[in-house]
Amino acid sequence: MFRRRPTDDGDELLTRLGALTAQARERAELQRSLVELAVALQRGMLPGDMPVAPGFHLAVRYAPAFHGLNVGGDWYDAFTLPDGRIGLSIGDVQGHNIEAAAFMGQVRVGLRALASVTSEPGELLSRTNDLLLSLGNDLFATCTFMRLDPSTGVLESARAGHIPCVWATADGKSGVAEDEGGPPLGIQAGQDYPVTRYRLNTGGVFVLLTDGVVEGPSLSVDEGLEQVVRLAGIAAVAGMEAGSLAAAVIKGAERVGHEDDAAVLVVGHDASAVRP
């Protein structure tokens, strides 16, 4: 004769499973909301329209990559300075969370605000570094700031621990910019950032990027940069539009093999036309 097993244990197990399922659902909803908040915050802090100058074309591409709450703090920016020159910045904040996205906004806004006081790239990075340290945040950021003079094609560049830019000319020459640079922003006060000057001639391009474009488990930084050098060289010789080059460079970010932000800012010199 079989005895019927008590149902109390089974009911209790079902109750516990239901409670755990509800908790898991709530955590998933919270996580999704935080990701959406971070992405919205990140996108809202990036600029919309690019400055326009006769003979020059700026193009950007941005691919926010996130997994869970790993939302990064890459940024790009371009704006007209009080004297008519153009300020260009690109950078990457340490960390992949909402705090990194918020800190990215502080760095970008700080650069813009201080550029109204001094747009000399080295001094600007030095002042931004001290400003970030005064905020008492534990995060730091790498950054490149360039000042373009559309009347001469001269680019003045200072780099704070950031990956170097890539250049190419219409006569088939291309390479990785060789400048000294300084430490990342937000680590130590009183830092100096050397300035390197370049000239962007007709048909030439400069490509500013973040490490998410060129470095990851599947691609070393040297291999990634060489890939961009080849693309920039082909684009300059072929007279490719800056937007097409930026799209090709950001496409290459798919090869790095990791989930990270990727930002590209291309400056092209095309004397024949001004494109919006």
Side-chain angles (χ1 to χ4, degrees):
M1 180 175 178
F2 297 98
R3 291 185 302 172
R4 179 175 298 177
R5 298 180 59 184
T7 59
D8 293 348
D9 291 345
D11 291 343
E12 182 180 355
L13 177 59
L14 290 175
T15 300
R16 290 182 179 179
L17 287 175
L20 290 173
T21 301
Q23 292 174 9
R25 187 181 298 112
E26 289 176 0
R27 286 195 294 267
E29 289 291 338
L30 175 61
Q31 182 169 327
R32 181 164 58 250
S33 298
L34 290 173
V35 169
E36 291 174 353
L37 172 62
V39 172
L41 177 66
Q42 190 180 48
R43 288 187 179 277
M45 290 181 179
L46 296 175
D49 297 334
M50 293 287 101
V52 175
F56 291 87
H57 185 207
L58 307 180
V60 294
R61 293 293 185 276
Y62 184 66
F66 54 88
H67 178 70
L69 288 181
N70 290 331
V71 180
D74 289 19
W75 86 87
Y76 62 84
D77 200 5
F79 53 95
T80 303
L81 297 164
D83 60 5
R85 286 181 285 190
I86 295 174
L88 309 165
S89 73
I90 195 165
D92 184 2
V93 172
Q94 168 226 9
H96 296 85
N97 50 33
I98 294 178
E99 287 75 18
F103 189 65
M104 173 267 286
Q106 292 179 317
V107 179
R108 176 177 166 263
V109 170
L111 281 167
R112 278 209 179 205
L114 291 172
S116 64
V117 178
T118 175
S119 63
E120 196 278 332
E123 184 178 356
L124 177 57
L125 289 187
S126 181
R127 291 194 180 200
T128 304
N129 176 58
D130 291 341
L131 172 63
L132 295 178
L133 285 168
S134 72
L135 298 177
N137 200 310
D138 292 333
L139 297 177
F140 64 86
T142 66
C143 173
T144 293
F145 183 84
M146 283 187 167
R147 181 172 64 177
L148 168 64
D149 186 345
S151 66
T152 62
V154 171
L155 274 166
E156 299 167 283
S157 174
R159 188 162 57 93
H162 198 68
I163 191 167
C165 64
V166 168
W167 59 270
T169 59
D171 60 1
K173 297 177 182 178
S174 59
V176 177
E178 297 180 359
D179 52 7
E180 183 177 349
L185 304 174
I187 293 181
Q188 186 174 1
Q191 296 299 305
D192 293 325
Y193 297 91
V195 176
T196 304
R197 289 170 175 80
Y198 306 94
R199 184 178 296 276
L200 186 57
N201 295 316
T202 304
V205 296
F206 267 81
V207 182
L208 289 73
L209 40 80
T210 58
D211 59 4
V213 180
V214 295
E215 184 180 16
S218 301
L219 200 68
S220 71
V221 63
D222 290 336
E223 292 172 331
L225 284 171
E226 183 57 35
Q227 175 179 284
V228 177
V229 168
R230 288 195 299 270
L231 287 172
I234 293 170
V237 171
M240 184 184 297
E241 293 185 350
S244 298
L245 174 57
V249 172
I250 204 73
K251 180 70 174 177
E254 298 176 358
R255 295 183 54 196
V256 302
H258 68 151
E259 296 175 338
D260 196 4
D261 288 4
V264 176
L265 171 56
V266 174
V267 186
H269 189 346
D270 178 9
S272 64
V274 180
R275 300 181 179 90

